[in-house]
Each structure stands twice: as structure tokens, then as C-alpha cells.
Amino acid sequence: MVVAVTAAGCAGGASGGPGGSGGPGSAGVGDPYFPEAGNGGYDVSHYALDLAYDPAAHHLTGTATITARATEDLTALNLDLEGLDVERVTVDGTAARWRRAGQELTVRPPKVLEGGRTFRVTVRYSGAPVTVTDPDGSEEGWLRTADGAVALGQPTGSMAWFPGNHHPSDKATYTVTATVPKGLRAVSNGEPAGERTTGDRTAFTWRTTEPMASYLAVLAVGRYEARRTTAPGGLPVHTFVDPRQAAASRAVLARIPDVVEWAEGWFGPYPFSSAGAIVERPEDAGYALETQNRPLFPGAPDTVLLVHELAHQWYGDSVTPRTWRDMWLNEGFAVYAEWLWREDHGGGTAQETFDAMYAGTYFPDAATNEAIWSFPPARPPDAEHISGVPVYQRGAMVLHRIRQTVGDDAFRALLRGWAKDHRHGTADTGDFTSYVEKAAPDEDFGGIWSDWLYGEGKPARPFEP
């Protein structure tokens, strides 16, 4: 593939490098499925995004100020940015040279950034934000809607609307200010931190004070019915619903406090400062997504889907996968939350669900039932399959095998302990298997790991509990 390169120079021209020792940070963190995603040499602590979007013109302008710490001496660093035109880059307020190559924005600071030093990169950019097509054919990035847009990021789409270190291994806090035409609303993660109308434009500010992976960032622009309620303990619940979905969504969204309270009984204290949801029209997005604080739904969800996405607030959002190979730690847990919800609400036990999946009778079509055994959940064959059926369903079956082994009380303690010990952090599959073995040192999990988590094909029938 031939990649067009655009170079722009300032502070002394486009050639040469800053003086001093050090080297460039890597362009990519070497993720097994998205090797170009993320960047090496620094850790981001905060994104401050000042955005303005005109839906009629489909034009976005932005200034991103990224606060980060160098983890090595850096003569250059990369940011992920897809599309959009870069106009100016500064490092700690001084103009810096930069160049573009595909999704990579390479920044050359005026002098070496020494390892351990905190610095700020500010990027001013604009243009028509793009939609990103995933290897599995789904769409993310910037999705235009009838009255605005919705920006989604799993796995790499956030680079379509702001530059950053777009890999789940680097989490940060956020301040997002989005200015939109008067009459529209801009919704993002975290807590509302101000709303100001000037002329025919309104600016909405949101603050996310708990660490967040960039793929969980959301920006929704449009007309919404906004509502604020509280969950037990005073937890704020913010919902934003497209008016055409308001009637269909009202009853299920009213259950958010009940679902959160139920989930805390299984998973421990809710990990964020607010809960809620964003409901778009069905044609606006092809899937629901566990965007932090308030999941996004394409149309009114049913209760089980609501449970799934709220469970992700613990598993996926607070405890985030270190690489995209570890997606089963998100989806297997969220699917098992569905099983637990049904079990606790008269819908059949988790054991009955497990048995139906093993027997090949759970789904109405044979192909989906067979797909459960198409690859091991901890080893998707490629990027196209990181959201495949085994990651979800067989991932949940792994958890049920653990529950069969340790018993209900120990399993509940394990779920809560895993969420507590890795709260607001990242973890991989090895971390989880080690955690389980330490939590139940007298049990043998070797067969579960070899047959159910990593093994090819359908394992032999497990013991009956």
C-alpha cells in the first residue's frame, strides 16, 4: 500500500531534528490485532478537547491539549489521527514540527522531552470527520445522524475526531467542550460542567475525572430529551434520548437504578461518578456500546441489553483490557451478567443457559450454536473476530466453569475482588487466570484454561455441579 505523506514545518523548517540525546517514540504499541494503534514513549494523563461541529456543513474544528508524561527521552512522538487537517502543533506552548503518514501524526518538539517529564501537546485541526470501517464490517468513528452525529470509538474510531494515544492500555481523564448550533445538545462522558449560549451557538462542557480508555469516549450531537434521576446512594443517572425513541425507552431506562443496585450486589460498588444512557434512533448506529458512564443504544434497549452494557461499567470500562486480544474479559463478563440477571429474576438458571449452549439449542439457528466452538475466546484468529461469538458466549462459559469449580459464594467474591483490585486500571488474560488461581489455591483450573479458554473445538462435557 502506498501512503501519502504531508509534511508541515515551523520553528526552523521541516528537516533535521531537535538537539540532544534520545529517540522517537514508537508508532504503535504492537497490539496483536491493531499493531499501529497507540504509540510508545509516553503516557497520557488528560485530554482537553475544545470542539465545534456544524452538522449542516459536516465540519468539525478542534483544539486538543494532551497532557502526558514521557517514559523515555523523546526526540519525537506519534499521535493517532485519521483524516482531518492539522493546522498547528505546539509542545509546551512552543511551535513544533510535525508530519502526517496515514493515521500517524508525528510531532517533533523543539528540544528533547526527557524521560519522566510531564509535557503538553496542543493540536489545532479541522475538516470533515470520517467514518471508520472495522475489519468485521461495522462502522465507528464519526457517524452522521439526521439531526447531528455520534462519535464512537471501539476499537480505533476515536482517532477520527481527536488526536491521541488510541489504545486501551493508556487511560486518561477528559474535559470535553463541544459547541453546536443552538437548539441541539452535545453529550459526552462524565459529568456536565457548564452550558453557555452565545448568539446562535451553545457550548456544552463535560468532565470525566475517572480514567477512561479513548475507545470508550463518546460525543453525541442532536436533539435529546434529557433527564436526571438518582440511583440508590444518590448516584446521578443522566439519560439523553432521541425524541422519537422517548416513549419506547421510558420504562426500561427507569430501571437503571434497579439494575445498578442489583449489579453492585454481584460486582461491588459502582465504579464511576454517574450512570445513565444515550438512546439514538436505530438507523444511527448498528450496535450498542458501553461508552463510559452512559452506554449508547441504537433505539430503545430491552432490559437484558441494558444489563449487558451496564455490567461493562465494571468489566471493560473500569477494568479495561490491556490489548484487543483480551476482549473476552469485557464480553464474557457482560454476557455472564445477563445469565445472572435472568437467574435472579425468574428467567432460568445460569446452569440451564450453559447446558443449552453446550447442547447447541440456545440460539434459534444452528450456525450460531456451532460458532461458539469456532475458536477459543482468549485467542481470536484475527482482528475481524475480536467481537465473535466465542468471545461473548464461550467467554461466559469459562466463567461458569469457574463458578462450578469454586461454588457460588467464592465466585461472587471472585467477581467483586477482580473488579476491586483492577479498578480504573488495565488487565490481560494472564492477570485474570493468576488472580483466580490465587483466590482458590486448592482448586485445579488447568483443564478450564486449556480446554475452555485456550483450547480449539468443543471441550468434553464438564462435570455436573
Side-chain angles (χ1 to χ4, degrees):
M1 180 174 64
V2 178
V3 179
V5 177
T6 302
C10 58
S15 62
S21 61
S26 62
V29 297
D31 187 273
Y33 301 119
F34 298 91
E36 295 181 356
N39 303 280
Y42 65 94
D43 288 323
V44 177
S45 59
H46 187 71
Y47 291 94
L49 306 178
D50 190 353
L51 310 170
Y53 182 61
D54 181 353
H58 183 46
H59 187 79
L60 177 72
T61 60
T63 299
T65 300
I66 302 163
T67 303
R69 180 182 62 84
T71 58
E72 59 188 78
D73 293 347
L74 292 174
T75 60
L77 62 106
N78 280 31
L79 300 169
D80 302 309
L81 183 64
E82 181 73 21
L84 300 169
D85 299 318
V86 175
E87 299 166 2
R88 179 177 169 82
V89 180
T90 64
V91 176
D92 290 331
T94 301
R97 290 167 298 158
W98 54 270
R99 69 180 180 90
R100 300 291 299 276
Q103 72 181 51
E104 301 296 333
L105 169 61
T106 301
V107 177
R108 295 189 177 277
K111 58 183 179 180
V112 172
L113 299 173
E114 297 178 350
R117 172 186 166 185
T118 297
F119 61 94
R120 287 182 176 84
V121 176
T122 300
V123 181
R124 192 170 66 199
Y125 57 98
S126 63
V130 300
T131 298
V132 177
T133 300
D134 292 337
D136 65 2
S138 60
E139 293 185 334
E140 52 172 305
W142 198 269
L143 308 177
R144 300 181 72 177
T145 65
D147 57 357
V150 59
L152 300 175
Q154 185 174 305
T156 62
S158 293
M159 66 181 177
W161 59 286
F162 67 96
N165 197 22
H166 291 303
H167 189 265
S169 59
D170 192 0
K171 303 171 74 168
T173 58
Y174 285 72
T175 302
V176 177
T177 298
T179 301
V180 296
K182 185 179 178 179
L184 300 183
R185 183 183 293 272
V187 180
S188 191
N189 311 84
E191 310 309 311
E195 176 181 332
R196 185 181 69 256
T197 297
T198 304
D200 62 353
R201 310 280 283 178
T202 303
F204 297 86
T205 298
W206 295 84
R207 290 199 181 97
T208 302
T209 57
E210 297 100 351
M212 178 170 71
S214 66
Y215 82 88
L216 299 168
V218 65
L219 181 64
V221 176
R223 292 180 175 85
Y224 302 100
E225 290 190 7
R227 187 179 183 189
R228 184 188 186 280
T229 58
T230 57
L235 178 74
V237 178
H238 299 278
T239 58
F240 300 89
V241 183
D242 184 285
R244 295 187 183 184
Q245 298 298 313
S249 301
R250 192 166 292 120
V252 67
L253 296 185
R255 301 200 71 177
I256 291 175
D258 295 336
V259 174
V260 169
E261 184 177 28
W262 168 84
E264 287 186 318
W266 275 102
F267 311 142
Y270 183 77
F272 299 115
S273 54
S274 68
I278 301 169
V279 180
E280 295 283 354
R281 282 172 280 195
E283 64 269 23
D284 291 339
Y287 49 87
L289 188 63
E290 62 270 20
T291 44
Q292 192 159 302
N293 300 94
R294 52 193 57 85
L296 183 135
F297 300 96
D302 61 24
T303 302
V304 172
L305 180 57
L306 180 69
V307 168
H308 181 106
E309 301 303 343
L310 289 178
H312 274 310
Q313 303 303 304
W314 284 262
Y315 308 112
D317 294 14
S318 177
V319 185
T320 301
R322 191 163 295 136
T323 78
W324 289 111
R325 177 177 284 157
D326 304 302
M327 271 285 281
W328 84 274
L329 291 173
N330 290 20
E331 302 303 346
F333 277 75
V335 169
Y336 202 77
E338 299 175 26
W339 298 12
L340 293 172
W341 174 268
R342 293 192 190 101
E343 182 173 88
D344 289 345
H345 294 82
T349 67
Q351 184 64 48
E352 290 170 338
T353 303
F354 179 94
D355 290 342
M357 285 197 176
Y358 191 85
T361 60
Y362 182 81
F363 293 104
D365 62 295
T368 305
N369 287 309
E370 293 172 3
I372 293 172
W373 316 110
S374 58
F375 61 84
R379 285 180 181 157
D382 49 40
E384 182 180 351
H385 292 88
I386 62 169
S387 295
V389 172
V391 172
Y392 285 68
Q393 310 301 336
R394 189 167 162 183
M397 297 178 86
V398 170
L399 294 177
H400 191 71
R401 290 290 290 111
I402 296 170
R403 182 183 179 184
Q404 288 177 321
T405 301
V406 302
D408 286 358
D409 291 343
F411 182 69
R412 187 188 296 260
L414 190 151
L415 291 179
R416 294 170 66 91
W418 173 250
K420 177 183 177 182
D421 287 3
H422 294 275
R423 182 181 175 95
H424 298 154
T426 63
D428 61 22
T429 300
D431 294 326
F432 178 72
T433 56
S434 295
Y435 178 85
V436 172
E437 290 168 355
K438 290 178 182 178
D442 295 332
E443 304 292 348
D444 180 7
F445 297 96
I448 297 177
W449 307 150
S450 63
D451 298 342
W452 290 84
L453 187 58
Y454 289 107
E456 299 287 348
K458 186 176 183 178
R461 176 74 192 182
F463 70 85
E464 296 294 339

